[in-house]
């Protein structure tokens, strides 16, 4: 049942809320790049793990939302 619930919007909502909270802390660009790399690496590892494969949406959404936050930070600096 938990696998089905995380397959829906919860798999994106949980990392999204966490990263928005980190966005208010004021992390540097290098930290955001590290978070993106960590999310991508965890996605690759979790795809090959038999039991964790069902939760692969969590680190991939983590990497995606971190990238979006990094783009927003760079746009904010330009403007």
């Amino acid at each position: 049942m938990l696998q089905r619930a995380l397959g829906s919007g919860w798999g994106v909502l949980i990392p999204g809320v966490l990263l928005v909270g980190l966005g208010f802390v004021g992390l540097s660009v290098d930290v955001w790049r590290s978070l993106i790399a960590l999310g991508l690496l965890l996605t690759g590892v979790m795809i090959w793990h038999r039991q964790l494969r069902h939760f692969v949406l969590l680190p991939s959404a983590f990497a995606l939302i971190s990238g979006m936050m990094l783009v927003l930070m760079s746009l904010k600096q330009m403007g």
Side-chain angles (χ1 to χ4, degrees):
M1 174 134 172
L2 181 62
Q3 295 170 0
R4 187 174 299 149
L6 283 177
S8 65
W10 289 106
V12 177
L13 188 63
I14 292 170
V17 169
L18 178 70
L19 289 171
V20 168
L22 285 175
F24 288 116
V25 174
L27 300 176
S28 68
V29 173
D30 292 330
V31 174
W32 284 108
R33 288 181 184 157
S34 300
L35 289 175
I36 293 169
L38 180 67
L40 291 174
L41 288 172
L42 282 175
T43 300
V45 168
M46 289 176 75
I47 285 175
W48 297 107
H49 195 274
R50 183 174 294 217
Q51 293 169 335
L52 294 178
R53 184 179 302 155
H54 304 289
F55 304 105
V56 75
L57 188 59
L58 291 171
S60 60
F62 193 82
L64 176 69
I65 297 168
S66 295
M68 292 168 59
M69 292 292 285
L70 186 60
V71 168
L72 287 174
M73 285 178 56
S74 66
L75 289 175
K76 185 178 176 183
Q77 289 177 354
M78 291 175 64

